Amino acid sequence: MRSLQPDETAVPEEVQPRGLECRIPPPVVDGLCAALMYGAARGTPAWEWHLPVAWRITLALCAAACGMGMALSGLGMFRKLRTTPDPLHPARASRLAQDGVYRHTRNPMYLGMALVLLGWGCWLAHPLALLCVPLAMAYLQRFQIRPEERLLHSRFGEAYARYCRRVRRWL
């Protein structure tokens, strides 16, 4: 298991989160997105795709199960490394996760949550609901992932830059 310890220097002011960055917990963002998806589906019922219930259940459960597995795998690696999974305080990271699911994606918890939302969208079987998934991902990319990346680069330096060159942000 590879992990790196950061330098003990303080995080510079120029990489600190600003505005909405790292302020709203990603599960809250996804919960709000799920509610928006439900509202969009119920607000325009004529647009609902008429899929057999068995298809809806299968698609929804497959996407949600994959998403939960990915997110829990990422969380498990953080616990194994004894580093913080707190998305509101990424500067508290004490180690850089590079093994397990982190060999394939730099953001397995966010990707997992997006797959759960995709499952919800499949259950709702509505085009507007499904459009909300990339909106949630775009919000997380701008206000959570990029600020986290700035902080992690500040904490772990070249080791984090090498990791970013080797592993994609999403997939």
Side-chain angles (χ1 to χ4, degrees):
M1 171 176 54
R2 291 180 298 157
S3 68
L4 296 173
Q5 301 260 341
D7 298 313
E8 294 300 320
T9 57
V11 176
E13 183 66 32
E14 61 269 11
V15 297
Q16 291 291 337
R18 299 176 291 275
L20 283 176
E21 294 179 342
C22 299
R23 300 281 187 251
I24 302 172
V28 171
V29 171
D30 288 333
L32 292 171
C33 183
L36 179 64
M37 292 167 76
Y38 181 80
R42 294 302 165 248
T44 54
W47 291 8
E48 181 179 322
W49 292 325
H50 298 286
L51 296 174
V53 174
W55 277 84
R56 288 167 70 164
I57 290 172
T58 301
L59 291 171
L61 288 178
C62 285
C66 288
M68 289 297 294
M70 182 166 289
L72 291 174
S73 178
L75 183 60
M77 182 57 70
F78 273 33
R79 294 198 189 270
K80 186 175 185 178
L81 293 174
R82 295 187 179 150
T83 191
T84 182
D86 184 355
L88 301 183
H89 301 98
R92 294 180 184 166
S94 61
R95 295 178 185 236
L96 180 58
Q98 300 181 74
D99 288 325
V101 71
Y102 287 94
R103 287 181 303 201
H104 309 289
T105 175
R106 296 194 315 253
N107 298 288
M109 289 182 258
Y110 301 145
L111 180 57
M113 290 189 302
L115 287 171
V116 170
L117 283 177
L118 180 63
W120 177 233
C122 289
W123 172 252
L124 294 171
H126 197 282
L128 290 179
L130 288 170
L131 283 176
C132 292
V133 177
L135 289 177
M137 292 173 72
Y139 179 90
L140 288 174
Q141 173 111 346
R142 166 60 184 90
F143 293 104
Q144 191 66 42
I145 294 171
R146 286 189 180 151
E148 283 179 6
E149 289 176 343
R150 279 195 324 261
L151 288 160
L152 292 171
H153 188 268
S154 173
R155 302 259 309 152
F156 298 101
E158 183 55 30
Y160 183 70
R162 279 192 310 273
Y163 173 66
C164 289
R165 286 190 297 269
R166 193 173 64 248
V167 178
R168 291 178 180 226
R169 185 178 281 147
W170 289 98
L171 269 182

